[in-house]
Amino acid sequence: MKQLNVEICDVTLRDGEQTPGVSFTCQEKVNIARKLDEIGVEVIEAGFPNISEQERACVKTVKGLGLDARICCLARAVREDVDAAIDCDVDLVSIFFATSDLHIRIKYKKSREEMLEQALGMVDYAVDHGLNVRFSAEEGSRTDTEFLKEMFRQGAERKAAYSSFADTVGCMTPLEIFNIVTELKAGLKNPLCVHCHNDMGFASANTFTAAQAGAFQLHTTVNGIGERAGNASLEEVLVALRMKNGIERYDLTKLQEISKMVEEYSGIKVAKTKAVVGEHAFAHESGIHIAAILEDPATYEYFMPEMVGGERHFVLGKHTGRKALAHVVSTLGCELSPAESDWVLEQIKERSAGKCSITPEMLLNLIKRSKECA
């Protein structure tokens, strides 16, 4: 396995909360932060303290928890935002500005050079006040690469602890992000961070690929929540790092728990087929699959559900076979003769074809009726 030097910065409390309609209470943020810390996440982005007094107070609360994780916050390249970060006494402040020509023209109406000079001034200001700085390029993926290199070079000279590249609109593919990270890393004097959005469904893949190319700090959110289509998924990135790079320091058994917590607090339902934490992530219906899994789960599960705090489920339906039925029936403390089994299986397939879910109660009723009908 390839050896990687990476850390996770989870941004659920900030970018995740920017999901339309989502707002966490301070206590909910505290609960999520504690669970992220238990998992072993190295950096937690607690919020954007200058947006409100309540947000600032919550960032301070998270910072005061005494977690092992370092606490980060977001700041635009303006004095009042950096002052808010200083007031919160965070371990790391992410000072950002939008670097693409499109954003500079539309949002700032200044030149590249003017915006860079303004941002570097805020890097100096934060460093002078004892803060570690992550110098962040919003819209990095649509920014001239030479400008990015110059920005990061000057940021490192001003003692920025990190350089950060954001695929803000999720427009990159894994091959594209591998190439840009490789190019940026070549002349970089500090660690590179990547922040990927999911507009084309590549956020987790891009984040993992960026790590293979040498990115150090990987940004994630629980359940992949975030603006528009969301961010890179914490659970997907951590499992990929475990399975493909042997990184075992994170406690993955808590992933189901934190997923359910964020689902409840955010009101954003997790898709049943969501990787790692979805209800069907370890659910099997096909008779061929279940028969093999009963012999050896590795036949149809690349990683075991126990690794991520999950459970395996066998679902009865139109694809169910005799071995699967016998196993499920035995878990209910029942036993069927071959004729009874055939009758129950026929009933299951008939009902499933009509889009009827086979609940445990329904199965018990069918088992009872089979004794009369078979």
Side-chain angles (χ1 to χ4, degrees):
M1 290 183 176
K2 182 179 180 180
Q3 296 299 307
L4 292 182
N5 180 28
V6 296
E7 69 179 11
I8 300 295
C9 174
D10 189 85
V11 299
T12 303
L13 304 186
R14 197 275 303 169
D15 212 344
E17 195 182 34
Q18 289 174 210
T19 306
V22 172
S23 179
F24 298 126
T25 67
C26 192
Q27 186 58 55
E28 288 169 345
K29 284 195 173 190
V30 165
N31 295 345
I32 294 168
R34 283 183 169 144
K35 193 59 61 178
L36 289 168
D37 194 54
E38 290 175 14
I39 289 170
V41 167
E42 290 88 353
V43 183
I44 298 171
E45 191 165 300
F48 193 166
N50 202 39
I51 65 170
S52 70
E53 286 303 319
Q54 292 85 353
E55 182 81 349
R56 186 180 303 205
C58 192
V59 172
K60 288 181 178 180
T61 298
V62 174
K63 177 62 174 71
L65 294 174
L67 304 178
D68 290 331
R70 289 171 288 138
I71 305 304
C72 173
C73 75
L74 191 68
R76 295 167 298 174
V78 295
R79 179 73 62 92
E80 55 266 31
D81 280 19
V82 179
D83 281 338
I86 294 168
D87 183 49
C88 291
D89 191 31
V90 291
D91 301 299
L92 178 68
V93 59
S94 183
I95 297 177
F96 78 95
F97 76 103
T99 53
S100 71
D101 288 340
L102 173 63
H103 276 238
I104 289 174
R105 176 172 57 84
I106 297 296
K107 291 164 60 174
Y108 305 128
K109 297 176 173 55
K110 295 182 179 180
S111 68
R112 287 179 180 176
E113 292 71 25
E114 288 173 314
M115 284 308 304
L116 178 55
E117 193 57 35
Q118 175 182 324
L120 288 168
M122 290 301 98
V123 172
D124 289 338
Y125 183 68
V127 170
D128 288 345
H129 284 78
L131 286 179
N132 289 310
V133 173
R134 184 172 69 207
F135 195 29
S136 304
E138 183 189 13
E139 266 277 282
S141 51
R142 294 196 291 181
T143 298
D144 176 68
T145 304
E146 293 306 312
F147 180 63
L148 279 178
K149 291 178 181 178
E150 182 62 18
M151 169 188 171
F152 290 157
R153 182 188 68 78
Q154 293 195 43
E157 287 180 354
R158 305 290 185 99
K159 300 183 180 179
Y162 298 88
S163 297
S164 188
F165 174 91
D167 182 17
T168 302
V169 295
C171 64
M172 301 202 89
T173 66
L175 182 57
E176 287 171 332
I177 204 159
F178 186 92
N179 290 339
I180 188 63
V181 168
T182 300
E183 186 171 355
L184 292 174
K185 275 284 297 176
L188 203 56
K189 302 300 183 185
N190 55 15
L192 182 66
C193 315
V194 290
H195 180 101
C196 298
H197 280 264
N198 202 42
D199 297 71
M200 294 200 299
F202 294 144
S204 295
N206 283 348
T207 300
F208 178 74
T209 301
Q212 308 304 304
F216 173 64
Q217 188 181 92
L218 313 177
H219 295 191
T220 64
T221 61
V222 178
N223 297 338
I225 65 172
E227 296 172 334
R228 303 180 314 280
N231 293 58
S233 163
L234 172 71
E235 54 276 10
E236 292 169 12
V237 171
L238 290 187
V239 167
L241 292 173
R242 169 74 66 87
M243 299 305 295
K244 294 300 184 181
N245 297 107
I247 295 177
E248 299 187 353
R249 65 179 179 271
Y250 302 106
D251 185 355
L252 305 189
T253 64
K254 300 183 185 301
L255 290 178
Q256 290 277 345
E257 186 179 351
I258 196 170
S259 171
K260 288 179 172 59
M261 178 186 290
V262 170
E263 181 179 47
E264 177 187 348
Y265 293 167
S266 68
I268 304 296
K269 296 291 293 181
V270 173
K272 288 185 177 182
T273 53
K274 170 77 167 62
V276 182
V277 295
E279 182 181 333
H280 289 174
F282 302 100
H284 307 272
E285 180 183 322
S286 166
I288 296 171
H289 289 205
I290 294 174
I293 286 170
L294 290 172
E295 295 290 326
D296 185 345
T299 51
Y300 285 100
E301 290 175 349
Y302 180 52
F303 54 93
M304 298 298 106
E306 297 81 9
M307 187 182 88
V308 295
E311 295 181 356
R312 181 179 301 112
H313 301 284
F314 293 150
V315 179
L316 299 180
K318 65 183 288 186
H319 305 100
T320 298
R322 287 177 177 78
K323 287 187 178 180
L325 177 61
H327 175 79
V328 174
V329 166
S330 70
T331 65
L332 297 174
C334 301
E335 187 175 343
L336 294 173
S337 69
E340 291 166 347
S341 178
D342 287 345
W343 186 87
V344 170
L345 200 58
E346 181 182 348
Q347 296 300 311
I348 288 171
K349 291 177 181 291
E350 182 179 312
R351 284 164 170 75
S352 296
K355 300 185 183 296
C356 177
S357 297
I358 307 300
T359 64
E361 293 76 17
M362 182 182 292
L363 178 59
L364 285 169
N365 184 53
L366 290 174
I367 292 171
K368 182 180 178 180
R369 288 179 57 196
S370 74
K371 307 296 183 181
E372 306 165 356
C373 301

